[in-house]
Amino acid sequence: MKRAWLVVLLFLSNEVFSHSHIAIADTADYVPTYRISADIGTDILGYKGALRDAYGVPASLTLGIRMGQVDGKWTAGLRASQKIHEDYWFRGEYFFDGQVQPVNVHCMQRHTLWNLDLRRDFWNHRRITPFVDAGLQFSRMIAFMSIHDPRPAPRSDEEPLIRRIDLHRDLSRRFVLGTGFRVNLFSLENRGGNSRLNTSDYAFLEFRIGYLFGNSTSFLQIREGNGTRFTRPQDIDTLRARPSIHAPIDSFFLGITLGFHITS
C-alpha cells in the first residue's frame, strides 16, 4: 500500500514539474524584441512655386532612424535633411571702428527639415514589404550674413568676425502622408555569439512617395535671378531690407533610401 502511494506521489510531482517548466517556456515567447533601422537616401521634388523657380528642383540628402518590435506592424521614425540655397561671399562696406570701412561679407541661406512619422507595415518577413505612413514635418529656413574684417589679424590666420546679422528666420509645420515598399537585399549571419545584439538580418532598399500639405515656407532671394532686379549690395542695409517671399510647399515628393536593420 505504501509503495502504491509512493508511485502516485512521484507521478504527481513529475506532472507539476512538467507544467511549470512549460509555463516558463511560454512566458519567454512574450519578451519583446526591438529592431532599429538606420538609412541614408535622397528626397526629390517637394517644392513648389517661388522656391522652385528660384533654385530649381532641389534634391537633398536624408538621414533616418526607425524603431519598432521585430514582429510588430507599427514603427516610429525620425528623418532629417538639409539644403543650402545660398552660399557666397562679396565685398561690401560697413561702419565699425568709428568709420565706414571695406569688409568681406558671407551670405548663407539654409533649409532644414525634420520628419516624425508613424508607419504601418504589411506582409512582414517577406522580401518585399509594402507600408503606409503619416506624420509631421517641421521646416526651418534661416538666412544670415557674417561680416568679416579683411585686415590681417595679429595672432590668427582667419579674418576676425565683426558681426553676424540674421536676415530671415522661418519655422513652419505641415502634415505628410506617404506609401511605398521596402525590398530586403541580403542577410548576414551573427557569428559573434553576442546574444544582446543580433545582426542576422538584412539590408534594405526603400522607395516611398508622399504628399505634403500645410503651412507655406518663406525665404529670401538674395542674389539676382529670374527677372528679379537687384543691385549688388555694397551697403549692408540694402541686403538686410530684402523682402521675404512666401512659397507654398504642398506637393508630391519621392524618396529613395538604403539602410540596414539591427535587432537587439
Side-chain angles (χ1 to χ4, degrees):
M1 187 68 177
K2 292 181 179 181
R3 182 175 297 177
W5 277 108
L6 181 61
V7 171
V8 171
L9 289 175
L10 288 175
F11 176 77
L12 292 176
S13 63
N14 183 59
E15 286 294 314
V16 171
F17 175 79
S18 299
H19 286 294
S20 63
H21 179 72
I22 293 174
I24 294 175
D26 289 342
T27 56
D29 294 337
Y30 292 96
V31 176
T33 304
Y34 292 95
R35 167 176 294 165
I36 299 176
S37 304
D39 61 68
I40 184 172
T42 183
D43 285 346
I44 59 177
L45 306 179
Y47 293 83
K48 287 185 64 176
L51 189 59
R52 183 184 59 194
D53 294 339
Y55 303 109
V57 181
S60 57
L61 188 67
T62 65
L63 298 175
I65 187 170
R66 182 169 298 280
M67 185 174 180
Q69 293 188 18
V70 171
D71 296 324
K73 300 292 186 181
W74 297 92
T75 57
L78 170 65
R79 179 171 303 281
S81 64
Q82 184 171 273
K83 181 70 175 181
I84 296 177
H85 296 295
E86 300 275 2
D87 187 8
Y88 75 102
W89 291 78
F90 68 89
R91 187 80 165 179
E93 295 179 345
Y94 189 69
F95 182 85
F96 71 102
D97 287 346
Q99 59 182 329
V100 177
Q101 301 187 48
V103 291
N104 292 332
V105 183
H106 179 215
C107 287
M108 177 177 285
Q109 183 161 223
R110 184 172 57 234
H111 192 194
T112 307
L113 299 173
W114 296 274
N115 291 275
L116 300 171
D117 69 78
L118 189 64
R119 174 174 294 186
R120 175 63 159 83
D121 289 336
F122 302 93
W123 307 341
N124 280 350
H125 307 295
R126 296 187 181 184
R127 188 172 182 84
I128 298 179
T129 303
F131 59 81
V132 295
D133 57 52
L136 287 174
Q137 180 184 93
F138 298 90
S139 169
R140 182 173 182 263
M141 184 77 77
I142 180 172
F144 66 90
M145 62 179 174
S146 54
I147 305 170
H148 300 262
D149 188 351
R151 297 173 299 182
R155 297 184 180 180
S156 176
D157 295 333
E158 298 181 357
E159 296 179 348
L161 177 65
I162 298 174
R163 186 183 178 188
R164 168 175 162 154
I165 301 175
D166 288 336
L167 302 173
H168 179 71
R169 286 179 178 269
D170 177 77
L171 180 61
S172 58
R173 64 183 182 273
R174 56 193 62 93
F175 296 98
V176 186
L177 298 177
T179 184
F181 61 92
R182 182 173 60 251
V183 181
N184 303 328
L185 299 180
F186 57 85
S187 62
L188 298 175
E189 296 181 359
N190 182 16
R191 299 180 181 179
N194 187 350
S195 59
R196 298 184 62 185
L197 182 63
N198 179 20
T199 57
S200 59
D201 216 318
Y202 45 78
F204 63 88
L205 188 64
E206 186 175 286
F207 300 89
R208 177 172 175 259
I209 186 172
Y211 187 76
L212 295 165
F213 58 97
N215 297 337
S216 61
T217 294
S218 61
F219 68 99
L220 291 182
Q221 190 170 356
I222 300 176
R223 285 185 286 188
E224 184 177 358
N226 298 312
T228 302
R229 303 181 63 182
F230 179 44
T231 58
R232 198 127 179 108
Q234 299 299 326
D235 184 2
I236 301 300
D237 292 331
T238 304
L239 182 60
R240 186 163 44 183
R242 294 287 297 170
S244 60
I245 303 172
H246 289 267
I249 206 72
D250 299 9
S251 63
F252 286 98
F253 65 91
L254 175 65
I256 304 173
T257 57
L258 176 64
F260 185 75
H261 291 303
I262 296 178
T263 304
S264 61

